[in-house]
Amino acid sequence: MPPVRPTPCPPSRMIDILNLTYDELEAWMTDALGEPRFRARQVWQWLWQKNARSFDAMTNVSKATRARLAESARITWPEVRTVKTSSDGTVKFLLALADGALVETVLIPSESREGKVRMTQCLSCQVGCAMGCTFCSTGSMGFERNMTMAEILGQVLVAREHLGDDRPDHPIVRNLVFMGMGEPLLNLNEVMRSLRTLNDEFGLCFSPRRITVSTCGIEKGLRELGESGLAFLAVSLHAPNQELRARIMPRAARWTLDDLMAALESYPLKTRERITFEYLLLGGVNDSIDHARELARLVSRTKAKLNLIVYNPAEGLPYEAPSQARILAFEQYLWSKNVTAIIRKSKGQDIKAACGQLKASELAGQAAGDDMAEGTDGMEAP
Ligand code: SF4
């Protein structure tokens, strides 16, 4: 019997095909479209490995199937509003989602042992953020909504297309970090779906060893993330004691530092795996030797390494970068206590690369009647 042809969906009920996991895509294509299972694999590879933006591009899929797909589903990528490239090679994208919501993603370059440029991509997972950390431009905007899996992974598709990165065996975007806008554990469902899809060998093919999820310390979801084994964990600490943490990260600090550390002590880690702690050095706030002493004691409770991030000053926020002397003294103290601490320099300072800064300047520009899409403020066209 020939397969039953599904009734075409009206546009508003079209399936967002990038929002389906592989199992969901296969079930939909076999059940609703009457297609054989191997067809789902072909479509999946077009979507995630060959950057197809239309069903027409899927040339090894029959015309009839492409027509059926186009009647019932859409492929929606985030729209690139602006791209800025820093003198240090950092690339920052401001993206508009289908409803016009703006999010940011950043590519941070590094060099491989063979001298090739490799990129780490920083992904957003929410539009805005509810956590309100006082040093963060995104935090000052408040929370708008969660991003879907399609929107989260759409950032990777956009970046790969921008770079001409189409060889899964030698990708230019090597590593992904969930450190952009939003708190991943507050959008756990879509983040977990994204991690599973990233991990698919016929899709984007990112091994868990190349993905880091960063949380500011949310109880719910922490265990599930650890047990999934789908990513490394980073925890944004930024203060070595509860009192200071409550001052600079008031919402995150509702789960006390002591309880957070107790949960991390039993966090499931693979052999030789460590938790990364992020510590943003804010001049005159958390960068003294006393703070370093407290911090060394605190992180020694777990198998950990520390990333010391030098604050990237942002307009409207009341913080400054620490002096070079204080940064070095802080780092040296930690090493003297056998804590692995690495200074991570903020990149892309000339393009507002810190989380939320580009969107903030876009919104400020709109309020002032500027038209950023015209390429003002040094923006490059994609
Ligand atoms: Fe949210 Fe992260 Fe900014 Fe805190 S630092 S407000 S968790 S985006």
Side-chain angles (χ1 to χ4, degrees), residues 4 6-9 13-18 20-37 39-40 43 47 55 58 65-75:
V4 181
T7 314
C9 302
R13 293 185 45 220
M14 297 276 262
I15 286 183
D16 184 355
I17 200 165
L18 288 173
L20 302 179
T21 61
Y22 182 73
D23 289 347
E24 290 165 350
L25 177 71
E26 189 184 273
W28 176 68
M29 285 190 64
T30 51
D31 298 350
L33 301 191
E35 293 289 338
R37 288 173 58 186
R39 196 70 81 208
V43 170
L47 292 172
F55 295 111
M58 302 180 179
T65 303
R66 283 188 258 156
R68 278 199 288 279
L69 285 163
E71 282 169 356
S72 311
R74 57 189 161 82
I75 303 170

Side-chain angles (χ1 to χ4, degrees), residues 193-261:
R193 282 160 53 82
S194 302
L195 293 176
R196 278 185 213 109
T197 296
L198 283 166
N199 197 224
D200 187 292
E201 63 176 315
F202 298 104
L204 287 164
C205 200
F206 274 87
S207 115
R209 302 184 60 76
R210 289 164 50 203
I211 305 174
T212 299
V213 171
S214 173
T215 176
C216 64
I218 303 286
E219 184 172 13
K220 195 164 172 283
L222 189 65
R223 194 87 209 160
E224 187 177 335
L225 177 68
E227 281 165 1
S228 77
L230 288 171
F232 288 139
L233 177 71
V235 178
S236 300
L237 215 47
H238 307 326
N241 61 58
Q242 176 64 17
E243 188 261 322
L244 182 55
R245 203 160 191 265
R247 190 144 57 84
I248 64 175
M249 303 172 74
R251 292 192 193 128
R254 285 179 194 160
W255 194 28
T256 67
L257 201 46
D258 203 39
D259 288 346
L260 168 63
M261 294 307 295

